[in-house]
Amino acid sequence: MNLKKLVTLDLSFNNFNGSIPWTLGQIAGLTHLYLHSNFISGQMPSSLGNLTKSQNWKFERKGLETLDLSRNKIRSIIPQELSQLTQLEILDLSSNQLFGLIPPEIEKLNNLYSVNLSCNLITGEIPVGLGFLRNLDLSYNNLSGNIPEDVGNVYHLNLSYNSLSGHIPEFFLTRNSLGGVSRDELYCAVVSSIFIGNKELNHEILIFSSNCTSIPAATSVGSSSTKFNRVKIILSVIGLLAILFLAILIIFRYLVKKNTKYVETTRKDGDLFSIWNYDGKMAFEDIIEATEDFDIRYCIGTGAYGSVYRAQLPSGKIVALKKLHRLESQDPAHDRSFRNEVKILTEIRHRNIVKLHGFCLHKRCMFLVYEYMERGSLFCVLRTDVEAKELNWTKRVNIVKSIAHALSYMHHDCTPTIVHRDVSSNNILMNSELEAFVSDFGTARLLDPNSSNQTLLVGTYGYIAPELAYTMVVTEKCDVYSFGVVALETMMGKHPGELISSLSTSSVQNIMLKDVLDARLPLPCYQRIGKDVVLVVALALACIHSNPNSRASMQQVAQEFLISRLSFPKSFEEISVRQLMNQEIFSVGKNYHQV
């Protein structure tokens, strides 16, 4: 490739498929390569190893520093040629289908500080020599063998859910004090996070009780006087612990009475419990049993900061669990996001908003318990040909209606107003009947009428309202724009980015509605269905106006679905996108662009 001045290539969050071009390894100056969150398959080209630091009489190149191919469908071994990338700092190949061994040559990359190979099919042993890394995530693979001693030097480490065996090295207890945390507490935290899911590991350094408190292993027998002194010490300790326990119990009962709003145990009919407290002991016990301690066999998906599990409770009810990753649970932003989702979903009720059944917000284990959605996200359904064809026009129209009614409820029926801030096809979940439910309220926000409601930019690229980039002020109209994008995506079967870009150009004059609809479905053959499809597209276009004040409100959209003013002056095949933009198909003079 003749792109010698190209330094950063970011093609993430698209719908790219096929394999990675071999010619990427010929971009001489490439320093950062981001291809994550696509549908890329095939093998990882060894030519990427050519992106090394070099200098000749024409130019000097720094070499590749960031390689992010995560969240794709790459099925390949990890090429040994990557060991030639001596300037590489970040390597993220997580959430693919990589297999084979971890190349031991990685230890030669002295500038490397972060490696994420989680959620793959990697086998073999952990190579020796990775202790120089700051971050190492090898979770959710099939690694076996013993844990190398030097891995204990990694600051952020995750080896959970593999097939590791042998002993947990004792250096995990002695490498640092972690701000005064005791040896026993440290070991308990390490075992419950770094090593969870490795059933062949022998925990012989300490003996554990059921609540994850630790007791030192038995020591050798001494003299009788030593035994007597030990008995006195033990009795003294027991007495102090009893006093401490009573004090804690009194304080705990006071706090529970003060802070716990609602506690409901398992109902008499055997239905799902709902526990609104801070630890959720019953939830924890049932969930641990149902998922076999969050075994990877129950994992049905991995997101940016959590994994989703399917679990069948003792009552027979099937639920979905979103569990926060260990490292992310230490991030205050992710912790706030989890707690924010609990706060929002415990205060709202709507048939098209995913139901939260319970939660556990313990500092060592955080998960949310949701209604299980058998068909996954709208994004995945639309990108699978078989499922997309099953999603006929009637079902697609109903999906858009459901989203509209849910958002209208949040914007106009809740006090204060709730703004979702991340409405996207990934956050619309489908049940077995292909009905739609709005999910993922981690970034949702309550609007304060007495505040400017300024915010950081959050959401999914391609769905974020354009005004947020320069105003940084969140309003209901931000959700309206995102809804319009999702509605068009539902009708088109793909993200409408190209169509949205063309709306402000003269080329829109030549775009016909029939040409933008999902070609995997035949055009609507009945006038009623055709009228509904046209109405959805027209309302979606009224929601993505560049000026937020010119967009329809979600209440107007929901009402339009109930009492449509749509007329059919022409046949379906003759309707243009320009007509829908100008709302020439509405029989009443009201125009949203003048609101």
Side-chain angles (χ1 to χ4, degrees), residues 140 161 192 196 272-295 305-311 313 319-326 328-329 334-335 337-343 345-346 355-371:
Y140 294 97
Y161 299 101
S192 64
I196 189 171
L272 188 66
F273 55 79
S274 296
I275 296 184
W276 310 123
N277 60 24
Y278 291 104
D279 284 342
K281 183 178 179 182
M282 288 184 60
F284 185 81
E285 292 172 350
D286 284 345
I287 295 305
I288 290 297
E289 181 180 353
T291 60
E292 298 184 36
D293 206 3
F294 292 101
D295 192 280
Y305 62 92
S307 296
V308 181
Y309 297 81
R310 179 186 184 274
L313 298 176
V319 295
L321 314 168
K322 183 161 73 173
K323 182 178 182 293
L324 196 63
H325 292 153
R326 181 187 66 88
E328 282 74 8
S329 65
H334 290 141
D335 180 84
S337 177
F338 243 55
R339 295 180 186 275
N340 186 64
E341 188 155 8
V342 169
K343 175 178 174 59
L345 289 180
T346 54
K355 185 177 181 181
L356 179 71
H357 289 306
F359 59 87
C360 177
L361 297 182
H362 194 280
K363 63 181 180 179
R364 288 177 179 169
C365 188
M366 299 181 69
F367 60 81
L368 310 180
V369 187
Y370 294 100
E371 182 180 3

Side-chain angles (χ1 to χ4, degrees), residues 365-381:
C365 188
M366 299 181 69
F367 60 81
L368 310 180
V369 187
Y370 294 100
E371 182 180 3
Y372 180 63
M373 297 293 167
E374 294 85 351
R375 303 302 288 270
S377 70
L378 175 61
F379 176 88
C380 292
V381 172

Side-chain angles (χ1 to χ4, degrees), residues 33-45:
L33 177 59
Y34 302 95
L35 298 177
H36 62 87
S37 305
N38 281 287
F39 295 92
I40 298 171
S41 58
Q43 296 191 350
M44 191 186 312

Side-chain angles (χ1 to χ4, degrees), residues 233-253:
I233 293 173
I234 291 173
L235 290 176
S236 300
V237 170
I238 291 175
L240 290 173
L241 289 176
I243 295 172
L244 181 61
F245 175 78
L246 288 174
I248 292 174
L249 182 61
I250 294 171
I251 295 172
F252 176 77
R253 293 188 64 174

Side-chain angles (χ1 to χ4, degrees), residues 217-232:
T219 57
S220 57
V221 180
S223 63
S224 59
S225 61
T226 302
K227 291 181 180 179
F228 179 75
N229 290 333
R230 287 178 178 171
V231 169
K232 289 197 299 181

Side-chain angles (χ1 to χ4, degrees), residues 167 175 233 501 573:
H167 300 277
R175 60 180 179 176
I233 293 173
S501 299
E573 290 78 3

Side-chain angles (χ1 to χ4, degrees), residues 483 534-543 552 556-557 560-561 586 592:
F483 163 80
V534 173
L535 177 62
V536 167
V537 177
L539 292 174
L541 292 171
C543 292
Q556 288 172 327
V557 173
E560 200 63 53
F561 280 127
F586 286 93
Y592 293 124

Side-chain angles (χ1 to χ4, degrees), residues 258-277:
K258 181 179 180 181
N259 294 326
T260 302
K261 295 181 178 180
Y262 175 69
V263 178
E264 178 183 348
T265 58
T266 306
R267 299 170 184 164
K268 293 181 179 181
D269 59 1
D271 200 2
L272 188 66
F273 55 79
S274 296
I275 296 184
W276 310 123
N277 60 24

